[in-house]
Amino acid sequence: MKRLLSILLLAVILAGTLCTTVVFSNAAEAPTKVINVVYDDSGSMFMDYDKDQEPIDSWSQAKYAMEVFAALLNENTTMNIYVMSDYDDEYGNPDNPPMLQLDSADGAEENVKKVHDMITKAYGTPFDSVRKAYKDLENCTADEKWLVILTDGSFDGIDNIDNFFKGKKSDINVLFLGLGPEVKGIAEDDSKHIYFDKADENNPILERIIQAATRVLNKDRLDVNPSTKRFSFDVPMKELVVFAQGSDVTINNIKDSHGNIYESTSDPVNVQYSEKGFSNLDEHFSDPSDFTFKFDKNLKGSLATFDDEFPEGEYTVDVSGAETIEIYYQPHVEIATYLTNSDGEEVTDLEDLEIGTYTIDFALVNANTGEKIADSELLGDVSYVATITNGSDNGSTFAPGDEITIEEGELTIDAVATYLDYHTVTTNKTYTVFKNKEITFESAGDTEFTVTSNGFSESTPMKVKMLADGKDVTAEQWSKIENVPEVELSNNAGFKLGEFTVTKSDEPGIFEITPSMPENGFDGIEYKDCDITLSFKDHCGSELWSGKSDVKMDLTDDRDFFTKHRDKIITLILSLIALLLILGYMPFIKNYFPAKMKKKPSIQCEPESFGEDSRVRKGLFEKSLLSTLIPYVPEKGKVKYVPAGVVGAPLLRLKAARGRRMHLTNSKDFVGKDHITFNSIPITEPRTKELTVSTQIVVKTQEWTYTCVLNR
């Protein structure tokens, strides 16, 4: 039983030593931790008063346990040992400092030696020792604080221990371990981080060891096959601690299934029993030689820490001379945060994060590869919570699957994953959330460009200011801008210009613009003030800057009147010419043939002798195309009014007259031809004769009489 109590004490101390919050992100150093242990060194730890002060070895086992603890102090961990005899009402002082202060920076060997050489005085169990240890925790600064109380009896100097702990500060964790059946316990309250456990004959000591270790150590035990010394795990590990006990223990190495050998981070630290417990024997015995310290020579062991990257798999620990082997593990995991946008797409690069609404999720990942880790019994049930600081949201908490709306600016995600009930992995990430900017432009100074016949006269460039979402561009933003806006005349300008020269100035947000003369020179129109359209698109870091807006450009035309109005004058002249041409085709000016004129008028053919039948033939009216196309000129044409082959009948040559009438222009060809009549009248004089479409033209020959009317 005594040895079991000693092992329990060892486990408690071991647990306290290795308890730490693992911070994988943005942490330059391991978190700080302070553990204040109140050690009961009363006389009952050395002798059994009920059996006439028979020696017992509880003290030897306890010192051995503290040596083990001293060998396992983690980085940035401080261990203070408060010995109860220093606070005894008669012999001590309630303000005494801890007897030992162990700092991980001093190294394992030195810390083990301090515990091994520690000599105490066996007095009572004053509660002032607890008060002092607690008060010192209140006044210290650390990421994690633990008060561990180890005692085999009840305290002197307090009536209600529970009332004392009810008023403790929330950042102090309390673990009360009672050793033996006579211990008076305390009320456990998990919500306030107050824990009680008791080791006696009814409570198996090994179970108490495991519980204490997993609660404070932040590491859990791996199952080791005692015969093959094999063990395995399905999550990556960053640290394995091998604690082997036996009279002649040697810890050599760890080997994986592929034959790779892992050496311990430093030489194993050996711990063993102490041979001297307390110094005030004369206060307990009239003859000190009557008492002999009892110690267990089997209390020897070795502790080795293996810090490395251990992938999932099967391993073998090479240990010799060990009666027991314990292996504790620390997973090599980080917490990763995932965001899914409103389109259901996971954001692959949180460094490039745009404003919007996202769904947040978390996972434990391999700290080396970043790959997600599957569910494992070695992690237990994993829970997540994150505190988000962004914009107007200052510290709201979110669980997996919650929606968060992210604003422009700094986004801080403090996420915590809790596994195996009390192990935690934290991450603190800060990102810059961007918002795509709408770009507009405005004039940044008065600049007038003067148009001359040879181009623009010399003048300073026109300055325009770029605004991002209506705000001035900062020097930092300006340094990231590489593109310049595209510039073109707005549609309302009414004239053309050549290419614009655009340069980025040294002044943040200012572009300088210079117009040029068109390739073929300025047009013959007046150049006036106009709008230019600036179109811009570029990235400022992750932000897309784009937009289009008009800015007024001042122009003065310094050319002579004719030059700057040449196009209008030419247009006016051409318009007048066109008008005159159009007028030349108007019916009230140009004479056209009557619309009823037949292109192929009918010719009635009547025979002069019996035996022939009447016939109908077609004549032909042909216009002069040229007379039709030329404005102001009357239409002209000719008519065949007898069948082909008939001689002595000249063509009718006609010219259109006003009122859709016609003039016979070749009357002289019909003078003396009495066999040809117009409305039964032959032509006797060579003067112009007026005809109509209904004029009947008759031609008589010896065989036939031909009659033709032009509209039939």
Side-chain angles (χ1 to χ4, degrees), residues 443 445-452 455-464 487 489 495 497 499-502 511-517 522 526-530 532 551-559:
S443 177
D446 296 332
T447 299
E448 185 175 75
F449 297 102
T450 302
V451 176
T452 70
F456 285 104
S457 63
E458 293 186 4
S459 60
T460 58
M462 173 185 178
K463 292 185 177 183
V464 295
V487 181
L489 279 175
F495 48 78
L497 290 176
E499 297 291 332
F500 289 86
T501 300
V502 185
F511 290 105
E512 296 180 344
I513 302 174
T514 304
S516 65
M517 183 174 65
F522 290 115
E526 185 176 8
Y527 284 76
K528 300 179 180 179
D529 296 346
C530 64
I532 57 174
V551 177
K552 181 182 177 184
M553 183 172 67
D554 296 330
L555 291 178
T556 299
D557 199 333
D558 202 30
R559 298 172 298 168

Side-chain angles (χ1 to χ4, degrees), residues 33 110 125 161 165 253 402 411 417 421 427 590 594 608 682:
K33 183 172 185 178
E110 182 176 342
T125 55
I161 298 177
F165 287 121
N253 53 53
D402 287 348
L411 167 68
D421 296 333
T427 183
K590 181 180 176 71
E608 291 294 331

Side-chain angles (χ1 to χ4, degrees), residues 58 146 202 208 381 465 522-523 566 605 677:
S58 296
W146 277 91
N202 297 321
R208 307 282 77 75
D381 294 329
K465 178 191 287 187
F522 290 115
D523 295 332
R566 181 188 64 211
C605 305
T677 60

Side-chain angles (χ1 to χ4, degrees), residues 52-73:
D52 196 19
Q53 299 180 343
E54 180 180 340
I56 60 176
D57 59 2
S58 296
W59 69 274
S60 177
Q61 297 165 1
K63 287 193 67 176
Y64 172 75
M66 288 189 286
E67 287 188 34
V68 173
F69 169 75
L72 288 172
L73 287 182

Side-chain angles (χ1 to χ4, degrees), residues 277-301:
F278 64 91
S279 60
N280 58 332
L281 288 171
D282 56 341
E283 297 182 31
H284 293 275
F285 306 97
S286 57
D287 184 359
S289 62
D290 289 342
F291 183 79
T292 302
F293 286 106
K294 183 179 180 181
F295 46 84
D296 187 349
K297 293 185 178 182
N298 291 320
L299 294 178
K300 297 179 66 176

Side-chain angles (χ1 to χ4, degrees), residues 144-337:
E144 188 173 358
K145 302 177 183 180
W146 277 91
L147 174 62
V148 179
I149 304 168
L150 310 173
T151 181
D152 66 352
S154 59
F155 285 99
D156 299 326
I158 188 168
D159 295 329
N160 193 321
I161 298 177
D162 291 337
N163 287 340
F164 176 83
F165 287 121
K166 285 180 180 179
K168 78 170 186 66
K169 290 189 174 181
S170 60
D171 64 337
I172 296 177
N173 305 290
V174 175
L175 177 62
F176 189 107
L177 289 179
L179 307 178
E182 305 301 326
V183 173
K184 182 180 180 181
I186 64 172
E188 188 171 30
D189 189 343
D190 288 359
S191 65
K192 293 185 178 181
H193 305 291
I194 300 174
Y195 309 104
F196 170 74
D197 204 353
K198 181 179 180 180
D200 57 24
E201 295 176 352
N202 297 321
N203 295 289
I205 187 64
L206 292 179
E207 292 183 11
R208 307 282 77 75
I209 292 174
I210 294 173
Q211 183 173 338
T214 53
R215 186 181 302 280
V216 183
L217 183 61
N218 275 8
K219 293 180 182 179
D220 288 272
R221 189 178 64 170
L222 293 170
D223 291 331
V224 183
N225 187 307
S227 59
T228 64
K229 302 176 184 177
R230 291 179 181 175
F231 61 98
S232 63
F233 41 83
D234 58 2
V235 296
M237 299 296 175
K238 64 175 295 185
E239 181 183 86
L240 298 174
V241 177
V242 179
F243 175 39
Q245 293 187 99
S247 59
D248 189 18
V249 171
T250 300
I251 302 175
N252 296 312
N253 53 53
I254 293 175
K255 182 185 298 184
D256 65 18
S257 58
H258 302 289
N260 299 312
I261 295 177
Y262 299 83
E263 303 291 348
S264 59
T265 307
S266 58
D267 292 337
V269 177
N270 296 318
V271 291
Q272 71 172 28
Y273 58 88
S274 175
E275 297 184 5
K276 187 174 183 181
F278 64 91
S279 60
N280 58 332
L281 288 171
D282 56 341
E283 297 182 31
H284 293 275
F285 306 97
S286 57
D287 184 359
S289 62
D290 289 342
F291 183 79
T292 302
F293 286 106
K294 183 179 180 181
F295 46 84
D296 187 349
K297 293 185 178 182
N298 291 320
L299 294 178
K300 297 179 66 176
S302 183
L303 296 102
T305 300
F306 294 81
D307 290 324
D308 211 320
E309 294 178 4
F310 296 92
E312 305 91 320
E314 186 174 275
Y315 293 79
T316 302
V317 59
D318 186 357
V319 176
S320 62
E323 296 179 6
T324 62
I325 301 174
E326 304 289 344
I327 298 180
Y328 295 90
Y329 66 91
Q330 189 175 63
H332 195 193
V333 296
E334 292 179 348
I335 178 174
T337 303

Side-chain angles (χ1 to χ4, degrees), residues 677-692:
T677 60
F678 296 88
N679 289 335
S680 302
I681 301 173
I683 295 177
T684 58
E685 296 180 357
R687 62 182 181 183
T688 301
K689 180 177 178 60
E690 184 175 292
L691 300 178
T692 66

